[in-house]
Amino acid sequence: MQSRIRSVEAIPVKMPLNKIYKGSNYFMSHRVTVVTRITTEDGVVGEIYNGDEIDHLDAIISMIQNDIAPRIIGEDIFDMNGIWNKIYPLTFNILADRKVALNAIACVDSALYDSIGKTLNQPLVKLWGGTKTSLPVMLIGGYYTEGMDVDEKTIVADIESYMEMGVAACKFKVGGRSPEVDAKRVEIARKAAGDDFILAVDANQGFERSDALKFALAVQKFNIRWFEEPCRWSYDKAAIKDIRMMSGIPVAAGQSEVSPAVCIEMMTRGSIDVCNYDASWSGGPTVWRQVAGAAAALGLEMAHHEEPQISSHLLGAAPTGTFLEVFHPDRDPMFYAMIEDRNPFINGYYEIPNAPGFGIKLNWDCINKYRLDK
């Protein structure tokens, strides 16, 4: 069976947020993404959106249109290894920004899989060998209030709103204040959530090693599902193992990595319990599934950093897949506005779409309203 690529299209989209969201050392005022469409000679259109690279958006679009498309038009969508070998060398230039190439490849890799699923009339979770039909939902929240260390009123209101949305868990932002202040914020969140609601914490590499340990020991009693990216990027692979071993709290990392080999190294050296690799930042489902296979072989858990429109099928097919990560609609309006047939959250779970490919229908009225290439 063959189905050859006729055209490749990349569309930049930018949506404003209703306020600035602050993590440990970053802030977000807009949500951006790339909608990639691959049309085959049989008339099948694979389409999906990837990423949130506001500083590299133009470069990613340019690479898809000018570098990747000429290499793959006419290729058979089922020859994924051959296509990968044609486009992966775009990451080899040591003087270029490798992140741009990996994001661009991820967009195309994802749209190709959507094409394959639609051509075979099967959801990707089944094509990838998965048997799960739903996933527990973890909402990324607990952002800082500008000018305040501990904003108890907002923390309580946020947690209550997450629970009202029907999610099972919250990944709460820390690492932007002192260990003592962040521990107090987590204490407030736990009291607001109650004992049955799942709570993880995410420092986004915000703590020094000693402060990460101090914080972890202070929140041990709050039943923390995992402590994500505890330490500074420059030495985190050694330090997070110490945090894991000394605190007893499971450690998650991997979203900031772009190489499957590095994620697997973190697993084998005992640095992490959970790997939250990001397919949209690292080259697409092809490489994410390599990491998920290693996690299963080593008995470790697999997560996915954000991107629920991509991750539900990946996590559903991963033997040790965990939570579907989402944002509040104010923080990620795209997941709620750009998908016409998004499944609701029910009793903490999200049903994996069972239509062909990624199983979702994009809202082109929304895309056309916010696209930047009009």
Side-chain angles (χ1 to χ4, degrees):
M1 183 176 187
Q2 287 187 336
S3 183
R4 298 194 177 276
I5 299 168
R6 186 174 69 198
S7 65
V8 180
E9 183 181 7
I11 301 167
V13 180
K14 182 177 183 180
M15 297 178 69
L17 305 181
N18 67 347
K19 67 176 183 178
I20 294 176
Y21 286 82
K22 296 184 68 66
S24 57
N25 290 290
Y26 69 94
F27 68 91
M28 300 290 294
S29 61
H30 289 76
R31 172 79 163 90
V32 303
T33 198
V34 176
V35 178
T36 307
R37 306 183 83 225
I38 290 179
T39 304
T40 71
E41 292 179 352
D42 301 320
V44 172
V45 180
E47 57 184 20
I48 194 67
Y49 69 94
N50 290 79
D52 194 8
E53 288 295 311
I54 194 165
D55 294 327
H56 302 100
L57 189 60
D58 291 342
I60 293 168
I61 294 291
S62 176
M63 180 163 284
I64 293 171
Q65 294 175 338
N66 300 322
D67 297 297
I68 296 180
R71 285 172 165 83
I72 67 172
I73 287 176
E75 295 296 320
D76 179 8
I77 60 171
F78 294 103
D79 185 14
M80 289 298 293
N81 289 337
I83 291 173
W84 186 262
N85 289 336
K86 286 179 176 290
I87 61 180
Y88 189 62
L90 291 169
T91 69
F92 293 170
N93 183 351
I94 63 172
L95 300 180
D97 189 335
R98 187 168 289 123
K99 192 170 186 179
V100 169
L102 286 167
N103 274 259
I105 291 170
C107 291
V108 172
D109 193 68
S110 301
L112 280 168
Y113 278 113
D114 193 56
S115 299
I116 290 171
K118 288 174 176 174
T119 298
L120 297 177
N121 198 33
Q122 290 291 325
L124 288 171
V125 65
K126 287 189 176 181
L127 291 181
W128 289 331
T131 58
K132 296 175 187 173
T133 59
S134 64
L135 295 165
V137 182
M138 176 178 284
L139 190 143
I140 304 168
Y143 288 91
Y144 292 100
T145 300
E146 181 68 29
M148 298 182 68
D149 282 344
V150 180
D151 184 354
E152 182 172 358
K153 182 179 179 181
T154 297
I155 292 171
V156 171
D158 284 348
I159 294 295
E160 290 176 348
S161 72
Y162 305 157
M163 296 173 72
E164 289 172 2
M165 286 178 61
V167 304
C170 171
K171 188 163 73 174
F172 192 85
K173 293 298 181 182
V174 300
R177 301 291 189 269
S178 70
E180 295 80 9
V181 167
D182 271 338
K184 179 62 178 177
R185 295 175 64 248
V186 173
E187 180 181 8
I188 294 168
R190 171 51 75 200
K191 288 181 178 178
D195 294 335
D196 294 333
F197 191 72
I198 299 167
L199 197 61
V201 292
D202 182 7
N204 291 116
Q205 302 178 332
F207 283 125
E208 300 287 352
R209 178 186 178 280
S210 59
D211 283 345
L213 181 58
K214 188 181 297 183
F215 167 80
L217 294 174
V219 300
Q220 272 181 328
K221 57 189 175 184
F222 300 130
N223 189 23
I224 302 302
R225 179 63 169 81
W226 68 61
F227 187 3
E228 189 166 314
E229 291 195 325
C231 301
R232 302 289 187 204
W233 70 269
S234 55
Y235 55 81
D236 67 329
K237 292 172 185 61
I240 59 179
K241 180 177 181 179
D242 295 336
I243 304 304
R244 174 178 177 262
M245 299 298 291
M246 287 191 244
S247 73
I249 298 176
V251 166
Q255 74 176 60
S256 299
E257 307 302 332
V258 296
S259 164
V262 174
C263 288
I264 295 168
E265 180 186 356
M266 287 195 293
M267 297 177 194
T268 56
R269 72 186 296 170
S271 295
I272 58 175
D273 302 274
V274 185
C275 183
N276 70 327
Y277 202 40
D278 187 322
S280 293
W281 281 359
S282 59
T286 292
V287 288
W288 191 93
R289 294 180 64 228
Q290 293 171 6
V291 178
L298 294 168
L300 300 177
E301 290 187 297
M302 196 69 195
H304 190 293
H305 172 243
E306 306 174 14
E307 298 288 88
Q309 76 284 358
I310 298 288
S311 67
S312 63
H313 289 262
L314 289 169
L315 290 165
T320 58
T322 55
F323 296 88
L324 183 86
E325 292 190 7
V326 303
F327 288 109
H328 188 277
D330 291 341
R331 171 62 181 82
D332 179 16
M334 290 182 175
F335 182 58
Y336 303 89
M338 272 180 38
I339 300 174
E340 286 191 358
D341 53 352
R342 181 185 62 83
N343 291 332
F345 307 141
I346 300 176
N347 296 325
Y349 281 78
Y350 173 81
E351 183 181 345
I352 300 169
N354 59 11
F358 284 109
I360 57 176
K361 183 179 180 181
L362 296 183
N363 183 337
W364 282 94
D365 288 339
C366 179
I367 293 169
N368 289 331
K369 180 179 179 179
Y370 293 105
R371 64 191 295 169
L372 297 177
D373 60 349
K374 291 183 285 189

